[in-house]
Amino acid sequence: MAMLVMLVLVEFNLLNHNHRTKYNFIFALTLFTLFVGLKGWTGMDVMMYFEDYRDAPTLGEFISGHYSKDWYTDFEAGYQIFEVIGKTLGFSFWQFQFVYVLIDAIVLYHFFKRETNYCVLALLIYFIWWGWVFHAEQLRNANSVLLFMLSLRYVREKQIFSYVLLNLLGMTFHTTSLFYIIAYPLLRITLTKNQLLWIFTVVMLVFIFRI
């Protein structure tokens, strides 16, 4: 976290002198990816995901039906598709986890670059507000939240189909995405970026305090 704080200060300095902050942000996101993606055993959820990945089949085994029925009913389909791809590519669980976090980091890059000039600051806030737990332990929740974040642009553009579609995709990773779909009418008020930030804050607090 100290490194991220230092990179936030670098970002402020670069912006004050009208310099590009792209590579500073990439470096910060790389540190985030390495820290979270190589975390090892950090909690009970990791053990759960480890055991589920151990039981996951390759694509050939899935097509032929040679897989544990317990695996098939454990998690949502979107996450299980990722597991099957990982197993088919021969990834260990730790390799799978790192690639999974790397994909999340790419999504975060595009989201923050689109929404703010203070990308490293946004990443630091995200990291503090439970983001590290999402990507370190709650892999499925992370996808659900990231897809909701991406869908917020369609609230501004009043494209309900695209908004619902992204959050339906989120439901294939975690059923809490249903909450985001139901919340759409409340979000149809014209929103500024600051208002979107507050919405994101509330969403993160819901997960933090399990409201």
Side-chain angles (χ1 to χ4, degrees):
M1 186 180 296
M3 282 294 297
L4 285 181
V5 172
M6 292 176 60
L7 291 172
V8 168
L9 297 177
V10 172
E11 180 176 65
F12 286 162
N13 183 61
L14 290 172
L15 288 171
N16 285 338
H17 292 86
N18 296 317
H19 294 313
R20 295 178 64 187
T21 61
K22 175 181 178 180
Y23 296 108
N24 185 56
F25 179 43
I26 291 175
F27 181 58
L29 204 52
T30 299
L31 292 179
F32 174 86
T33 304
L34 291 173
F35 177 77
V36 177
L38 301 175
K39 65 192 179 306
W41 301 102
T42 56
M44 291 301 297
D45 282 1
V46 175
M47 176 65 76
M48 178 179 64
Y49 284 119
F50 178 87
E51 292 178 351
D52 193 73
Y53 187 76
R54 180 190 59 198
D55 294 335
T58 62
L59 181 60
E61 291 169 339
F62 180 77
I63 292 173
S64 63
H66 295 148
Y67 56 87
S68 167
K69 301 304 179 184
D70 290 335
W71 170 82
Y72 186 71
T73 58
D74 277 348
F75 295 133
E76 294 84 356
Y79 177 75
Q80 290 183 319
I81 289 173
F82 271 88
E83 287 188 313
V84 170
I85 293 173
K87 270 300 190 68
T88 302
L89 294 174
F91 291 163
S92 69
F93 172 74
W94 305 113
Q95 292 170 325
F96 166 76
Q97 178 182 257
F98 181 80
V99 172
Y100 201 90
V101 172
L102 178 62
I103 293 170
D104 289 349
I106 293 171
V107 174
L108 284 172
Y109 174 82
H110 289 288
F111 176 78
F112 288 135
K113 289 293 288 185
R114 187 184 72 199
E115 297 296 336
T116 181
N117 291 325
Y118 296 93
C119 296
V120 181
L121 176 60
L123 179 63
L124 176 62
I125 294 171
Y126 179 79
F127 183 84
I128 295 171
W129 283 347
W130 219 242
W132 70 275
V133 174
F134 279 143
H135 300 281
E137 284 196 58
Q138 301 174 4
L139 302 180
R140 291 154 44 243
N141 268 353
N143 291 125
S144 174
V145 170
L146 288 177
L147 287 166
F148 170 68
M149 289 164 60
L150 292 177
S151 74
L152 288 175
R153 68 175 295 182
Y154 299 116
V155 176
R156 291 199 302 268
E157 297 170 3
K158 298 182 180 179
Q159 297 183 30
I160 184 172
F161 177 78
S162 297
Y163 175 85
V164 171
L165 189 62
L166 271 179
N167 286 292
L168 283 175
L169 180 60
M171 285 187 65
T172 69
F173 292 95
H174 204 283
T175 53
T176 51
S177 288
L178 178 61
F179 166 78
Y180 308 137
I181 296 174
I182 295 172
Y184 179 79
L186 301 177
L187 302 177
R188 286 204 57 184
I189 302 170
T190 302
L191 299 173
T192 65
K193 289 185 178 181
N194 285 336
Q195 289 170 326
L196 288 173
L197 181 60
W198 278 108
I199 292 170
F200 176 67
T201 302
V202 171
V203 170
M204 298 300 289
L205 288 174
V206 167
F207 280 103
I208 292 172
F209 295 106
R210 311 256 181 206
I211 299 174

